[in-house]
Amino acid sequence: QVQVAESGGGSVQAGGSLKLSCAASRYPISGCGMGWYRQAPGKPREFVSLTVNQGSTTYADSVKGRFAISQGNDKNTLYLQMNSLKTEDTAVYYCVLHTIIGFQGCQPNYWGQGTQVTVSS
């Protein structure tokens, strides 16, 4: 089993910055990437960003140009630098380790408990 834990959430005013961190207990052989999702109150969980095998990165349009994802050299750690934060970025942010799952390919598999980010106006 793999445990994933996030840290670094908090409260910030609009326009400010926060950096989230994530640590996985191990990176399995089937691991293919790590990413961030978020869930705002009353809304479904949504994709934020993903880095695949420390190579390609993707971002949701809503955060592109403001957020930056990076992965540690040991692949067990993940970061999300969030700049120019907006009130609509308020959510619980989840770190997830992706693994190859059969024919489905690279899928989100191991989830952290989440860390709250609150952006006030």
Side-chain angles (χ1 to χ4, degrees):
Q1 190 62 283
V2 178
Q3 284 75 47
V4 176
E6 309 91 341
S7 61
S11 297
V12 65
Q13 287 194 321
S17 298
L18 276 176
K19 185 173 184 178
L20 303 182
S21 300
C22 171
S25 57
R26 65 183 182 91
Y27 198 83
I29 294 175
S30 58
C32 53
M34 294 184 76
W36 294 95
Y37 288 69
R38 68 185 181 185
Q39 187 167 20
K43 295 186 178 181
R45 190 174 297 184
E46 64 175 4
F47 168 79
V48 175
S49 182
L50 173 67
T51 179
V52 178
N53 288 338
Q54 297 175 293
S56 64
T57 59
T58 57
Y59 296 93
D61 288 343
S62 59
V63 306
K64 202 170 293 183
R66 300 187 298 120
F67 290 11
I69 192 171
S70 60
Q71 194 171 9
N73 290 334
D74 60 1
K75 298 194 291 186
N76 288 20
T77 54
L78 185 72
Y79 306 96
L80 185 68
Q81 178 66 48
M82 304 185 294
N83 299 325
S84 302
L85 282 161
K86 305 175 180 180
T87 55
E88 51 263 44
D89 294 319
T90 294
V92 177
Y93 283 71
Y94 297 91
C95 176
V96 56
L97 193 156
H98 289 59
T99 63
I100 300 295
I101 301 178
F103 295 105
Q104 300 176 56
C106 192
Q107 298 293 322
N109 194 356
Y110 297 102
W111 294 80
Q113 293 299 307
T115 186
Q116 177 71 46
V117 171
T118 301
V119 184
S120 58
S121 58

